Amino acid sequence: MTIQSPEGTRDLLPDEAKFWAHFKAVASDVFGAYGYVPIETPVFEQTDLFVRGIGEATDVVSKEMFIALSGENLKRLLDGGAVKAKSRLSLRPEGTAGVVRAVVQHDLVPQGAPPVKLVYAGPMFRAERPQKGRQRQFNQVGIECLGAEEPSVDAEGIIMLMRFYAAIGIPVEATELLVNSMGCDACRPPYRDAVKAYMDAHADELCDECKRRADINPLRAFDCKNPGCAAVMEDAPKITDHLCDDCRAHYGTVKAYLDGAGLAYTEDPKLVRGLDYYTRTVFEVQVTEGMGSQNAIGGGGRYDKLVQEVGGRPTPGFGFALGYERCVLALQAAGYAFPPARRCDCFVACVDDSVRAEAFSLVQALRDAGLASEMDHQHRSLKSQFKLADKLDAAFVVVMGPDELAAGQVKARNMQTHEEHLVDLAAAKSLLACLAAEPSGTEPLGIAEVFGGIGEGN
Ligand code: HAM
């Protein structure tokens, strides 16, 4: 049996791999305009970082982490030995914890410094049950802004995320932006107690897991997919009725900025997010049609205690991540198809093997001039070279034959109009070089047109 990709993973074949590169480039452009600069952190970290940062009671940490063990440590464990804390490693289930660890480790926000704005992209790993839109390895693009607690940071981040969706082609009307505030150390504990008391009073209507959650982390019950629990939690106390004055003012200002930017949003007091580090603002973007149950294409919020949690000085933070694969599903639901990864501007065809070396050098020259160019490497007949050029969607084909070459010429065929002209070889090379240096908009059709204009008609 042939070996298949592991369950919950997906190959990005060339057309899509090219789109992923484009996706990251658009993110870099949109977020770059807001001052975000790139950061890369390892795909595995000490397990402790995720336990402390994301929270031991979250599903992500308690059920979904992929543990990374070196062969040496696996042997040690199998032999009944122990592994040192710093060698207990896990694949990152999300990017925030690693970025915050790097910010602390390299002191990227020295006291009194302006906020640091970081953007990252790459694979995350969660051992969830795979389904449409839910994978075990998936790609995220995320941003983190550390060093400012002003609500303008939150609003700016949310506006920026919605701009990204528009720039990548997800129709705004297909999305719904949900916002909430999770409160802070002052107002959340009494709210949590109120939710626990409510859950205790409805214990016989809750699933076993939610009964356990009531003791460890009652707010997680808002995420329970069990319809009975969802019905109970619908009437649970609402955080927005329990916010302290500071948190209410912060939330109010975030909303005022969003209103000012003309951004539509829905307040959802049940939105708690699946990670424990959030304080104050949380938000999620969902796609309403064609996605199934995994319809969140991005989300994030403020985390003013996380830096301390991983050992740094008190430093407020805000960020979000968006799921690449779910964005692709959203785009496909809106009718998007990947354009072919490969574009060929010019295919150089050989009439026979005697011109092969000259054709090889012309292809190099065309590529040097910035044109995607190809030739046959399998001694095909001229007819099948044309078929190949068609398959590559070549804009034009240069046919090199011994007789024309002896006169320093080649034949150029515009593959769209089927016009064919004799062209001087040296002129062809330099003309193509000039066109390649032109601002966009002239290639590849412009090249074909010019080819149509300069040669002797056949
Ligand atoms: P998250 O909501 O866990 O947040 O993930 C962000 C996005 O990643 C989700 O909205 C979804 O699009 C995508 N995603 C999550 N899990 C999967 C999966 N199993 N398969 C496919 N896509 C998935 C975070 O990860 C936070 N670190 C965001 C953040 C940054 N908060 C503050 N800073």
Side-chain angles (χ1 to χ4, degrees), residues 402-437:
D403 297 341
E404 292 85 356
L405 195 58
Q409 290 184 313
V410 287
K411 256 185 223 162
R413 179 191 286 199
N414 180 325
M415 295 297 277
Q416 228 169 32
T417 63
H418 300 287
E419 265 180 281
E420 207 171 73
H421 297 279
L422 267 177
V423 180
D424 179 73
L425 178 59
K429 281 187 192 175
S430 60
L431 175 67
L432 289 165
C434 291
L435 285 167

PDB file of all heavy atoms in Angstrom, residues 402-437:
ATOM      1  N   PRO A 402      16.885  25.197 -38.227  1.00  0.00           N
ATOM      2  CA  PRO A 402      18.263  25.386 -38.721  1.00  0.00           C
ATOM      3  C   PRO A 402      18.351  26.414 -39.842  1.00  0.00           C
ATOM      4  O   PRO A 402      19.272  27.228 -39.848  1.00  0.00           O
ATOM      5  CB  PRO A 402      18.673  23.982 -39.184  1.00  0.00           C
ATOM      6  CG  PRO A 402      17.450  23.135 -39.147  1.00  0.00           C
ATOM      7  CD  PRO A 402      16.411  23.829 -38.336  1.00  0.00           C
ATOM      8  N   ASP A 403      17.356  26.433 -40.759  1.00  0.00           N
ATOM      9  CA  ASP A 403      17.452  27.362 -41.904  1.00  0.00           C
ATOM     10  C   ASP A 403      17.310  28.809 -41.454  1.00  0.00           C
ATOM     11  O   ASP A 403      18.114  29.682 -41.798  1.00  0.00           O
ATOM     12  CB  ASP A 403      16.359  27.045 -42.945  1.00  0.00           C
ATOM     13  CG  ASP A 403      16.550  25.646 -43.507  1.00  0.00           C
ATOM     14  OD1 ASP A 403      17.687  25.110 -43.365  1.00  0.00           O
ATOM     15  OD2 ASP A 403      15.564  25.088 -44.023  1.00  0.00           O
ATOM     16  N   GLU A 404      16.284  29.061 -40.616  1.00  0.00           N
ATOM     17  CA  GLU A 404      16.067  30.435 -40.134  1.00  0.00           C
ATOM     18  C   GLU A 404      17.250  30.888 -39.272  1.00  0.00           C
ATOM     19  O   GLU A 404      17.738  32.017 -39.389  1.00  0.00           O
ATOM     20  CB  GLU A 404      14.790  30.535 -39.280  1.00  0.00           C
ATOM     21  CG  GLU A 404      13.495  30.341 -40.032  1.00  0.00           C
ATOM     22  CD  GLU A 404      13.117  28.877 -40.189  1.00  0.00           C
ATOM     23  OE1 GLU A 404      13.929  28.015 -39.763  1.00  0.00           O
ATOM     24  OE2 GLU A 404      12.045  28.596 -40.737  1.00  0.00           O
ATOM     25  N   LEU A 405      17.730  29.937 -38.445  1.00  0.00           N
ATOM     26  CA  LEU A 405      18.824  30.293 -37.534  1.00  0.00           C
ATOM     27  C   LEU A 405      20.071  30.694 -38.328  1.00  0.00           C
ATOM     28  O   LEU A 405      20.786  31.630 -37.965  1.00  0.00           O
ATOM     29  CB  LEU A 405      19.129  29.105 -36.601  1.00  0.00           C
ATOM     30  CG  LEU A 405      19.978  29.420 -35.396  1.00  0.00           C
ATOM     31  CD1 LEU A 405      19.351  30.503 -34.536  1.00  0.00           C
ATOM     32  CD2 LEU A 405      20.205  28.161 -34.560  1.00  0.00           C
ATOM     33  N   ALA A 406      20.292  29.983 -39.457  1.00  0.00           N
ATOM     34  CA  ALA A 406      21.456  30.302 -40.306  1.00  0.00           C
ATOM     35  C   ALA A 406      21.368  31.756 -40.765  1.00  0.00           C
ATOM     36  O   ALA A 406      22.375  32.433 -40.932  1.00  0.00           O
ATOM     37  CB  ALA A 406      21.494  29.347 -41.498  1.00  0.00           C
ATOM     38  N   ALA A 407      20.117  32.262 -40.900  1.00  0.00           N
ATOM     39  CA  ALA A 407      19.935  33.664 -41.318  1.00  0.00           C
ATOM     40  C   ALA A 407      19.769  34.581 -40.096  1.00  0.00           C
ATOM     41  O   ALA A 407      19.374  35.741 -40.244  1.00  0.00           O
ATOM     42  CB  ALA A 407      18.715  33.756 -42.218  1.00  0.00           C
ATOM     43  N   GLY A 408      20.050  34.032 -38.908  1.00  0.00           N
ATOM     44  CA  GLY A 408      19.962  34.848 -37.678  1.00  0.00           C
ATOM     45  C   GLY A 408      18.532  35.187 -37.303  1.00  0.00           C
ATOM     46  O   GLY A 408      18.269  36.199 -36.669  1.00  0.00           O
ATOM     47  N   GLN A 409      17.602  34.303 -37.682  1.00  0.00           N
ATOM     48  CA  GLN A 409      16.189  34.602 -37.391  1.00  0.00           C
ATOM     49  C   GLN A 409      15.474  33.438 -36.693  1.00  0.00           C
ATOM     50  O   GLN A 409      15.947  32.295 -36.728  1.00  0.00           O
ATOM     51  CB  GLN A 409      15.463  34.901 -38.702  1.00  0.00           C
ATOM     52  CG  GLN A 409      15.901  36.226 -39.299  1.00  0.00           C
ATOM     53  CD  GLN A 409      15.110  36.573 -40.534  1.00  0.00           C
ATOM     54  OE1 GLN A 409      14.925  35.732 -41.413  1.00  0.00           O
ATOM     55  NE2 GLN A 409      14.667  37.808 -40.623  1.00  0.00           N
ATOM     56  N   VAL A 410      14.363  33.743 -36.098  1.00  0.00           N
ATOM     57  CA  VAL A 410      13.480  32.721 -35.523  1.00  0.00           C
ATOM     58  C   VAL A 410      12.047  33.089 -35.915  1.00  0.00           C
ATOM     59  O   VAL A 410      11.785  34.228 -36.308  1.00  0.00           O
ATOM     60  CB  VAL A 410      13.572  32.658 -33.973  1.00  0.00           C
ATOM     61  CG1 VAL A 410      14.867  32.044 -33.510  1.00  0.00           C
ATOM     62  CG2 VAL A 410      13.345  34.025 -33.349  1.00  0.00           C
ATOM     63  N   LYS A 411      11.146  32.095 -35.764  1.00  0.00           N
ATOM     64  CA  LYS A 411       9.738  32.397 -36.026  1.00  0.00           C
ATOM     65  C   LYS A 411       9.053  32.604 -34.694  1.00  0.00           C
ATOM     66  O   LYS A 411       9.282  31.826 -33.759  1.00  0.00           O
ATOM     67  CB  LYS A 411       9.086  31.202 -36.716  1.00  0.00           C
ATOM     68  CG  LYS A 411       8.865  31.392 -38.173  1.00  0.00           C
ATOM     69  CD  LYS A 411       8.097  30.198 -38.715  1.00  0.00           C
ATOM     70  CE  LYS A 411       8.690  29.764 -40.041  1.00  0.00           C
ATOM     71  NZ  LYS A 411       8.295  28.417 -40.402  1.00  0.00           N
ATOM     72  N   ALA A 412       8.246  33.638 -34.593  1.00  0.00           N
ATOM     73  CA  ALA A 412       7.522  33.854 -33.337  1.00  0.00           C
ATOM     74  C   ALA A 412       6.033  33.752 -33.599  1.00  0.00           C
ATOM     75  O   ALA A 412       5.523  34.377 -34.540  1.00  0.00           O
ATOM     76  CB  ALA A 412       7.853  35.225 -32.774  1.00  0.00           C
ATOM     77  N   ARG A 413       5.355  32.924 -32.808  1.00  0.00           N
ATOM     78  CA  ARG A 413       3.916  32.771 -33.014  1.00  0.00           C
ATOM     79  C   ARG A 413       3.160  33.262 -31.780  1.00  0.00           C
ATOM     80  O   ARG A 413       3.440  32.834 -30.658  1.00  0.00           O
ATOM     81  CB  ARG A 413       3.559  31.308 -33.262  1.00  0.00           C
ATOM     82  CG  ARG A 413       2.035  31.168 -33.455  1.00  0.00           C
ATOM     83  CD  ARG A 413       1.587  29.748 -33.442  1.00  0.00           C
ATOM     84  NE  ARG A 413       1.954  29.096 -34.687  1.00  0.00           N
ATOM     85  CZ  ARG A 413       1.379  27.962 -35.113  1.00  0.00           C
ATOM     86  NH1 ARG A 413       0.436  27.389 -34.383  1.00  0.00           N
ATOM     87  NH2 ARG A 413       1.760  27.407 -36.244  1.00  0.00           N
ATOM     88  N   ASN A 414       2.246  34.171 -32.033  1.00  0.00           N
ATOM     89  CA  ASN A 414       1.353  34.634 -30.974  1.00  0.00           C
ATOM     90  C   ASN A 414       0.293  33.542 -30.775  1.00  0.00           C
ATOM     91  O   ASN A 414      -0.470  33.244 -31.692  1.00  0.00           O
ATOM     92  CB  ASN A 414       0.695  35.954 -31.422  1.00  0.00           C
ATOM     93  CG  ASN A 414      -0.261  36.499 -30.368  1.00  0.00           C
ATOM     94  OD1 ASN A 414      -0.923  35.745 -29.668  1.00  0.00           O
ATOM     95  ND2 ASN A 414      -0.306  37.817 -30.279  1.00  0.00           N
ATOM     96  N   MET A 415       0.271  32.911 -29.615  1.00  0.00           N
ATOM     97  CA  MET A 415      -0.582  31.737 -29.407  1.00  0.00           C
ATOM     98  C   MET A 415      -2.056  32.106 -29.281  1.00  0.00           C
ATOM     99  O   MET A 415      -2.910  31.239 -29.340  1.00  0.00           O
ATOM    100  CB  MET A 415      -0.123  30.945 -28.173  1.00  0.00           C
ATOM    101  CG  MET A 415       1.261  30.347 -28.325  1.00  0.00           C
ATOM    102  SD  MET A 415       1.340  29.125 -29.662  1.00  0.00           S
ATOM    103  CE  MET A 415       0.732  27.676 -28.803  1.00  0.00           C
ATOM    104  N   GLN A 416      -2.318  33.406 -29.091  1.00  0.00           N
ATOM    105  CA  GLN A 416      -3.716  33.802 -28.979  1.00  0.00           C
ATOM    106  C   GLN A 416      -4.311  34.084 -30.355  1.00  0.00           C
ATOM    107  O   GLN A 416      -5.381  33.617 -30.694  1.00  0.00           O
ATOM    108  CB  GLN A 416      -3.823  35.042 -28.098  1.00  0.00           C
ATOM    109  CG  GLN A 416      -4.881  34.903 -27.049  1.00  0.00           C
ATOM    110  CD  GLN A 416      -4.783  36.027 -26.027  1.00  0.00           C
ATOM    111  OE1 GLN A 416      -4.398  37.151 -26.338  1.00  0.00           O
ATOM    112  NE2 GLN A 416      -5.144  35.697 -24.804  1.00  0.00           N
ATOM    113  N   THR A 417      -3.514  34.856 -31.147  1.00  0.00           N
ATOM    114  CA  THR A 417      -4.040  35.257 -32.461  1.00  0.00           C
ATOM    115  C   THR A 417      -3.592  34.285 -33.555  1.00  0.00           C
ATOM    116  O   THR A 417      -4.077  34.362 -34.680  1.00  0.00           O
ATOM    117  CB  THR A 417      -3.514  36.661 -32.835  1.00  0.00           C
ATOM    118  OG1 THR A 417      -2.075  36.566 -32.942  1.00  0.00           O
ATOM    119  CG2 THR A 417      -3.854  37.689 -31.786  1.00  0.00           C
ATOM    120  N   HIS A 418      -2.613  33.415 -33.232  1.00  0.00           N
ATOM    121  CA  HIS A 418      -2.014  32.465 -34.184  1.00  0.00           C
ATOM    122  C   HIS A 418      -1.231  33.164 -35.291  1.00  0.00           C
ATOM    123  O   HIS A 418      -0.822  32.549 -36.254  1.00  0.00           O
ATOM    124  CB  HIS A 418      -3.055  31.503 -34.771  1.00  0.00           C
ATOM    125  CG  HIS A 418      -3.717  30.678 -33.692  1.00  0.00           C
ATOM    126  ND1 HIS A 418      -3.071  29.649 -33.043  1.00  0.00           N
ATOM    127  CD2 HIS A 418      -4.932  30.771 -33.122  1.00  0.00           C
ATOM    128  CE1 HIS A 418      -3.879  29.138 -32.124  1.00  0.00           C
ATOM    129  NE2 HIS A 418      -5.021  29.822 -32.127  1.00  0.00           N
ATOM    130  N   GLU A 419      -1.008  34.475 -35.144  1.00  0.00           N
ATOM    131  CA  GLU A 419      -0.145  35.191 -36.106  1.00  0.00           C
ATOM    132  C   GLU A 419       1.276  34.689 -35.961  1.00  0.00           C
ATOM    133  O   GLU A 419       1.750  34.471 -34.839  1.00  0.00           O
ATOM    134  CB  GLU A 419      -0.119  36.676 -35.744  1.00  0.00           C
ATOM    135  CG  GLU A 419      -1.103  37.530 -36.480  1.00  0.00           C
ATOM    136  CD  GLU A 419      -0.949  38.972 -36.013  1.00  0.00           C
ATOM    137  OE1 GLU A 419      -1.465  39.297 -34.927  1.00  0.00           O
ATOM    138  OE2 GLU A 419      -0.263  39.726 -36.723  1.00  0.00           O
ATOM    139  N   GLU A 420       1.978  34.558 -37.100  1.00  0.00           N
ATOM    140  CA  GLU A 420       3.368  34.105 -37.032  1.00  0.00           C
ATOM    141  C   GLU A 420       4.243  35.064 -37.820  1.00  0.00           C
ATOM    142  O   GLU A 420       3.845  35.515 -38.896  1.00  0.00           O
ATOM    143  CB  GLU A 420       3.443  32.700 -37.624  1.00  0.00           C
ATOM    144  CG  GLU A 420       4.575  31.886 -37.071  1.00  0.00           C
ATOM    145  CD  GLU A 420       4.489  30.441 -37.513  1.00  0.00           C
ATOM    146  OE1 GLU A 420       4.756  30.166 -38.693  1.00  0.00           O
ATOM    147  OE2 GLU A 420       4.144  29.596 -36.673  1.00  0.00           O
ATOM    148  N   HIS A 421       5.404  35.400 -37.274  1.00  0.00           N
ATOM    149  CA  HIS A 421       6.302  36.340 -37.958  1.00  0.00           C
ATOM    150  C   HIS A 421       7.733  35.879 -37.839  1.00  0.00           C
ATOM    151  O   HIS A 421       8.092  35.240 -36.841  1.00  0.00           O
ATOM    152  CB  HIS A 421       6.205  37.738 -37.321  1.00  0.00           C
ATOM    153  CG  HIS A 421       4.851  38.350 -37.444  1.00  0.00           C
ATOM    154  ND1 HIS A 421       4.434  38.978 -38.584  1.00  0.00           N
ATOM    155  CD2 HIS A 421       3.819  38.403 -36.567  1.00  0.00           C
ATOM    156  CE1 HIS A 421       3.198  39.403 -38.406  1.00  0.00           C
ATOM    157  NE2 HIS A 421       2.795  39.056 -37.184  1.00  0.00           N
ATOM    158  N   LEU A 422       8.523  36.243 -38.835  1.00  0.00           N
ATOM    159  CA  LEU A 422       9.963  36.000 -38.731  1.00  0.00           C
ATOM    160  C   LEU A 422      10.580  37.161 -37.955  1.00  0.00           C
ATOM    161  O   LEU A 422      10.270  38.323 -38.227  1.00  0.00           O
ATOM    162  CB  LEU A 422      10.583  35.965 -40.129  1.00  0.00           C
ATOM    163  CG  LEU A 422      10.698  34.589 -40.773  1.00  0.00           C
ATOM    164  CD1 LEU A 422      11.253  34.736 -42.181  1.00  0.00           C
ATOM    165  CD2 LEU A 422      11.588  33.663 -39.949  1.00  0.00           C
ATOM    166  N   VAL A 423      11.427  36.836 -37.007  1.00  0.00           N
ATOM    167  CA  VAL A 423      11.981  37.878 -36.144  1.00  0.00           C
ATOM    168  C   VAL A 423      13.492  37.704 -36.084  1.00  0.00           C
ATOM    169  O   VAL A 423      13.994  36.578 -36.014  1.00  0.00           O
ATOM    170  CB  VAL A 423      11.396  37.744 -34.715  1.00  0.00           C
ATOM    171  CG1 VAL A 423      11.954  38.798 -33.799  1.00  0.00           C
ATOM    172  CG2 VAL A 423       9.892  37.794 -34.740  1.00  0.00           C
ATOM    173  N   ASP A 424      14.197  38.788 -36.077  1.00  0.00           N
ATOM    174  CA  ASP A 424      15.644  38.748 -35.932  1.00  0.00           C
ATOM    175  C   ASP A 424      15.981  38.273 -34.512  1.00  0.00           C
ATOM    176  O   ASP A 424      15.444  38.807 -33.540  1.00  0.00           O
ATOM    177  CB  ASP A 424      16.178  40.159 -36.189  1.00  0.00           C
ATOM    178  CG  ASP A 424      17.661  40.219 -36.049  1.00  0.00           C
ATOM    179  OD1 ASP A 424      18.347  39.706 -36.949  1.00  0.00           O
ATOM    180  OD2 ASP A 424      18.123  40.741 -35.006  1.00  0.00           O
ATOM    181  N   LEU A 425      16.853  37.259 -34.396  1.00  0.00           N
ATOM    182  CA  LEU A 425      17.118  36.636 -33.081  1.00  0.00           C
ATOM    183  C   LEU A 425      17.641  37.647 -32.055  1.00  0.00           C
ATOM    184  O   LEU A 425      17.131  37.733 -30.935  1.00  0.00           O
ATOM    185  CB  LEU A 425      18.113  35.478 -33.253  1.00  0.00           C
ATOM    186  CG  LEU A 425      18.538  34.747 -31.992  1.00  0.00           C
ATOM    187  CD1 LEU A 425      17.347  34.136 -31.266  1.00  0.00           C
ATOM    188  CD2 LEU A 425      19.552  33.651 -32.338  1.00  0.00           C
ATOM    189  N   ALA A 426      18.644  38.443 -32.453  1.00  0.00           N
ATOM    190  CA  ALA A 426      19.217  39.409 -31.504  1.00  0.00           C
ATOM    191  C   ALA A 426      18.172  40.437 -31.094  1.00  0.00           C
ATOM    192  O   ALA A 426      18.038  40.785 -29.919  1.00  0.00           O
ATOM    193  CB  ALA A 426      20.430  40.096 -32.136  1.00  0.00           C
ATOM    194  N   ALA A 427      17.390  40.900 -32.092  1.00  0.00           N
ATOM    195  CA  ALA A 427      16.347  41.895 -31.796  1.00  0.00           C
ATOM    196  C   ALA A 427      15.331  41.304 -30.836  1.00  0.00           C
ATOM    197  O   ALA A 427      14.865  41.980 -29.913  1.00  0.00           O
ATOM    198  CB  ALA A 427      15.663  42.350 -33.070  1.00  0.00           C
ATOM    199  N   ALA A 428      14.995  40.031 -31.091  1.00  0.00           N
ATOM    200  CA  ALA A 428      14.001  39.370 -30.220  1.00  0.00           C
ATOM    201  C   ALA A 428      14.480  39.395 -28.783  1.00  0.00           C
ATOM    202  O   ALA A 428      13.739  39.775 -27.873  1.00  0.00           O
ATOM    203  CB  ALA A 428      13.773  37.931 -30.675  1.00  0.00           C
ATOM    204  N   LYS A 429      15.751  39.021 -28.602  1.00  0.00           N
ATOM    205  CA  LYS A 429      16.286  38.985 -27.227  1.00  0.00           C
ATOM    206  C   LYS A 429      16.235  40.357 -26.595  1.00  0.00           C
ATOM    207  O   LYS A 429      15.785  40.532 -25.473  1.00  0.00           O
ATOM    208  CB  LYS A 429      17.746  38.497 -27.237  1.00  0.00           C
ATOM    209  CG  LYS A 429      17.886  37.000 -27.364  1.00  0.00           C
ATOM    210  CD  LYS A 429      19.360  36.629 -27.198  1.00  0.00           C
ATOM    211  CE  LYS A 429      19.594  35.201 -27.614  1.00  0.00           C
ATOM    212  NZ  LYS A 429      21.001  34.836 -27.593  1.00  0.00           N
ATOM    213  N   SER A 430      16.702  41.388 -27.314  1.00  0.00           N
ATOM    214  CA  SER A 430      16.779  42.702 -26.659  1.00  0.00           C
ATOM    215  C   SER A 430      15.392  43.313 -26.500  1.00  0.00           C
ATOM    216  O   SER A 430      15.108  43.986 -25.522  1.00  0.00           O
ATOM    217  CB  SER A 430      17.733  43.636 -27.395  1.00  0.00           C
ATOM    218  OG  SER A 430      17.264  43.809 -28.694  1.00  0.00           O
ATOM    219  N   LEU A 431      14.519  43.035 -27.471  1.00  0.00           N
ATOM    220  CA  LEU A 431      13.163  43.556 -27.364  1.00  0.00           C
ATOM    221  C   LEU A 431      12.481  42.977 -26.128  1.00  0.00           C
ATOM    222  O   LEU A 431      11.847  43.691 -25.350  1.00  0.00           O
ATOM    223  CB  LEU A 431      12.367  43.183 -28.614  1.00  0.00           C
ATOM    224  CG  LEU A 431      10.897  43.570 -28.565  1.00  0.00           C
ATOM    225  CD1 LEU A 431      10.743  45.076 -28.580  1.00  0.00           C
ATOM    226  CD2 LEU A 431      10.131  42.947 -29.705  1.00  0.00           C
ATOM    227  N   LEU A 432      12.660  41.654 -25.967  1.00  0.00           N
ATOM    228  CA  LEU A 432      12.050  41.005 -24.812  1.00  0.00           C
ATOM    229  C   LEU A 432      12.608  41.578 -23.519  1.00  0.00           C
ATOM    230  O   LEU A 432      11.891  41.795 -22.546  1.00  0.00           O
ATOM    231  CB  LEU A 432      12.277  39.489 -24.876  1.00  0.00           C
ATOM    232  CG  LEU A 432      11.460  38.802 -25.978  1.00  0.00           C
ATOM    233  CD1 LEU A 432      11.977  37.408 -26.232  1.00  0.00           C
ATOM    234  CD2 LEU A 432      10.000  38.776 -25.601  1.00  0.00           C
ATOM    235  N   ALA A 433      13.929  41.850 -23.518  1.00  0.00           N
ATOM    236  CA  ALA A 433      14.554  42.409 -22.321  1.00  0.00           C
ATOM    237  C   ALA A 433      13.941  43.758 -21.987  1.00  0.00           C
ATOM    238  O   ALA A 433      13.625  44.052 -20.840  1.00  0.00           O
ATOM    239  CB  ALA A 433      16.060  42.532 -22.527  1.00  0.00           C
ATOM    240  N   CYS A 434      13.745  44.595 -23.039  1.00  0.00           N
ATOM    241  CA  CYS A 434      13.144  45.921 -22.814  1.00  0.00           C
ATOM    242  C   CYS A 434      11.742  45.771 -22.234  1.00  0.00           C
ATOM    243  O   CYS A 434      11.366  46.448 -21.287  1.00  0.00           O
ATOM    244  CB  CYS A 434      13.001  46.687 -24.119  1.00  0.00           C
ATOM    245  SG  CYS A 434      14.555  47.184 -24.790  1.00  0.00           S
ATOM    246  N   LEU A 435      10.962  44.847 -22.832  1.00  0.00           N
ATOM    247  CA  LEU A 435       9.580  44.695 -22.386  1.00  0.00           C
ATOM    248  C   LEU A 435       9.510  44.191 -20.958  1.00  0.00           C
ATOM    249  O   LEU A 435       8.644  44.580 -20.184  1.00  0.00           O
ATOM    250  CB  LEU A 435       8.832  43.742 -23.313  1.00  0.00           C
ATOM    251  CG  LEU A 435       8.486  44.384 -24.645  1.00  0.00           C
ATOM    252  CD1 LEU A 435       8.033  43.343 -25.640  1.00  0.00           C
ATOM    253  CD2 LEU A 435       7.409  45.436 -24.457  1.00  0.00           C
ATOM    254  N   ALA A 436      10.458  43.304 -20.614  1.00  0.00           N
ATOM    255  CA  ALA A 436      10.446  42.755 -19.265  1.00  0.00           C
ATOM    256  C   ALA A 436      10.720  43.838 -18.245  1.00  0.00           C
ATOM    257  O   ALA A 436      10.293  43.770 -17.106  1.00  0.00           O
ATOM    258  CB  ALA A 436      11.482  41.641 -19.145  1.00  0.00           C
ATOM    259  N   ALA A 437      11.463  44.888 -18.681  1.00  0.00           N
ATOM    260  CA  ALA A 437      11.802  45.972 -17.758  1.00  0.00           C
ATOM    261  C   ALA A 437      10.680  47.011 -17.658  1.00  0.00           C
ATOM    262  O   ALA A 437      10.704  47.870 -16.809  1.00  0.00           O
ATOM    263  CB  ALA A 437      13.081  46.651 -18.215  1.00  0.00           C
TER     264      ALA A 437
END
